[in-house]
Amino acid sequence: MPLITTIEDLRRLAQKRVPRMFYDYADSGSWTESTYRANESDFARIQFRQRVARNIDERSIRASMIGQDMAMPVALAPTGLAGMQHADGEILTARAAAAFGVRYTLSTMSICSLEDIAAHVGQPFWFQLYVMRDRVFMQQLIERAKAAGVDALVLTLDLQILGQRHKDLINGLSAPPKLTVPNILNMLTKPRWVAGMLGTKRHGFGNIVGHVKGVADITSLSSWIGQQFDPRLSWDDVEWIKQCWGGKLIIKGILDVEDARLAANCGADALVVSNHGGRQLDGAPSSISQLAAIAEAVGEQIEVWLDGGIRSGQDVLKAMALGAKGTMIGRAHLYGLGALGEVGVTKALDIIARELDVSMALCGYNDIRDVNREILLPGSFPTGVC
């Protein structure tokens, strides 16, 4: 196996080991994928100020996100179908995150269930919720999350309808996936993945199958999912969910200053500047390009985090410099999972932590909590405050 030193190394290995339809599901955007690409390329335009002859002997990248202590200002973002990147993927990822000292967010559309994570990890984690038409099921999910030890709810607001993802259409990625001859042949070229899937019973959507009336197995799931994402979603629904939950609430999917103000006013504990990894509205701006304006507008009222395009510790550092109090990584940890399972997720976290520490030090800072815009080269970052 080649030496792994970057997230890109993990991505390449995951591409070799994960069947095409599931790799493409994780590593693609909607329509032309312009927003997906901008999430990464806009980070690259931001430059650091290198500082010298400053005492950087003792350093800390520890941070607090919604009052919870983290080994670094990074949480693992919710990612659907993680259990198709690697057998029992959500369990393995949650274990790696807990051992490292960061929070894992389980997706509503996970393969492993809330109960699976609670039973196999034994430490608090977060849960991501979509607004669905079936409010009774949503209430049940919230109660199950409480029972499983979830200590923060991540409410995703930017998926009222599903963005068109061409690779998924071409590959037949649906619920259940279409096992066409090309897909089957491709899976047979991934022996590690096949062996893992044969060794687990978790192949469906564990949070849904068996918990919804009329959805007893994966074959009956497709029509239910197609009807569930609720285009009538409003801020009144957010208030209802907040009341049902009663705990720490994180609003994910904010890309506009006006929406950020609404999120701050609704009483949430944090908002996540995010365009769903470029998987929803193609042609929308990158997450990092909107961060400074949103942090300036509402950062004193609510914690502002950044999700989208983070592939290194340097990206985390840039986000913190532009006003984020925390970040979330999705694809970066999925690459590790697909490449090497639990070990790969730990490797991804190690890479980001090391890059964050070294880059912060070379900019002359000792503590991630002290980082601000002065760490960046003037003129290299977006400042458009609305």
Side-chain angles (χ1 to χ4, degrees), residues 9-27:
D9 293 336
L10 289 170
R11 186 200 68 78
R12 287 194 295 264
L13 187 55
Q15 189 174 25
K16 293 179 180 178
R17 293 186 170 181
V18 178
R20 179 181 54 243
M21 68 187 307
F22 298 120
Y23 173 82
D24 283 352
Y25 172 78
D27 195 39

Side-chain angles (χ1 to χ4, degrees), residues 10-267:
L10 289 170
R11 186 200 68 78
R12 287 194 295 264
L13 187 55
Q15 189 174 25
K16 293 179 180 178
R17 293 186 170 181
V18 178
R20 179 181 54 243
M21 68 187 307
F22 298 120
Y23 173 82
D24 283 352
Y25 172 78
D27 195 39
S28 64
S30 62
W31 297 90
T32 68
E33 299 189 333
S34 65
T35 298
Y36 163 61
R37 292 191 298 272
N39 273 351
E40 293 187 58
S41 61
D42 284 359
F43 266 114
R45 297 188 178 97
I46 302 171
Q47 295 179 298
F48 292 115
R49 291 177 65 201
Q50 177 177 303
R51 302 299 303 275
V52 297
R54 298 171 69 145
N55 187 344
I56 53 173
D57 182 39
E58 295 184 7
R59 300 183 302 279
S60 173
I61 59 171
R62 298 198 70 85
S64 173
M65 295 173 67
I66 57 168
Q68 297 175 5
D69 185 50
M70 303 281 196
M72 60 179 170
V74 174
L76 302 194
T79 54
L81 279 75
M84 287 293 136
Q85 301 297 313
H86 190 288
D88 299 335
E90 291 90 357
I91 293 172
L92 302 182
T93 304
R95 280 179 177 169
F100 198 90
V102 298
R103 278 296 196 276
Y104 170 66
T105 313
L106 182 71
S107 170
T108 291
M109 307 305 294
S110 60
I111 301 301
C112 303
S113 68
L114 281 157
E115 293 77 13
D116 286 331
I117 305 303
H120 290 85
V121 179
Q123 294 190 40
F125 60 102
W126 297 344
F127 181 65
Q128 174 266 338
L129 184 71
Y130 286 119
V131 178
M132 297 183 173
R133 293 178 185 270
D134 189 338
R135 295 300 199 266
V136 173
F137 173 64
M138 286 185 65
Q139 285 183 300
Q140 292 172 347
L141 264 181
I142 290 171
E143 292 305 314
R144 288 169 59 201
K146 292 178 183 178
V150 168
D151 59 0
L153 191 70
V154 179
L155 179 61
T156 298
L157 297 184
D158 59 356
L159 206 144
Q160 292 170 265
I161 58 174
L162 191 66
Q164 184 164 310
R165 302 162 193 170
H166 292 167
K167 289 178 181 176
D168 289 349
L169 294 173
I170 293 167
N171 290 331
L173 198 288
S174 59
K178 295 177 182 176
L179 295 179
T180 62
V181 171
N183 283 337
I184 293 171
L185 292 176
N186 181 254
M187 288 178 185
L188 293 177
T189 67
K190 317 292 180 181
R192 292 171 183 260
W193 183 90
V194 171
M197 289 299 168
L198 290 175
T200 182
K201 60 183 179 181
R202 300 178 181 91
H203 303 124
F205 290 91
N207 291 321
I208 300 172
V209 174
H211 296 280
V212 176
K213 185 178 180 180
V215 182
D217 54 46
I218 191 69
T219 59
S220 57
L221 182 65
S222 182
S223 59
W224 184 85
I225 288 179
Q227 300 169 359
Q228 280 304 308
F229 293 110
D230 195 346
R232 302 166 300 178
L233 166 64
S234 73
W235 288 100
D236 290 337
D237 296 307
V238 176
E239 178 60 29
W240 174 76
I241 290 166
K242 184 173 180 289
Q243 294 298 322
C244 290
W245 170 243
K248 297 282 188 179
L249 180 66
I250 302 155
I251 302 292
K252 185 173 182 288
I254 301 298
L255 208 60
D256 182 90
V257 168
E258 186 174 345
D259 286 337
R261 291 193 176 106
L262 291 169
N265 292 337
C266 84

Side-chain angles (χ1 to χ4, degrees), residues 278-350:
R279 294 165 60 77
Q280 284 296 96
L281 177 61
D282 191 39
S286 69
S287 297
I288 191 64
S289 71
Q290 303 305 295
L291 173 60
I294 290 174
E296 183 74 18
V298 301
E300 293 186 1
Q301 299 172 255
I302 187 172
E303 285 189 26
V304 175
W305 303 349
L306 187 283
D307 165 84
I310 293 175
R311 302 292 186 269
S312 69
Q314 288 202 338
D315 293 339
V316 173
L317 186 60
K318 291 172 183 178
M320 301 297 285
L322 289 174
K325 298 301 181 184
T327 62
M328 301 187 87
I329 59 170
R331 291 184 176 97
H333 85 259
L334 280 184
Y335 297 149
L337 177 64
L340 295 167
E342 184 174 347
V343 171
V345 178
T346 300
K347 185 67 176 178
L349 291 169
D350 280 334

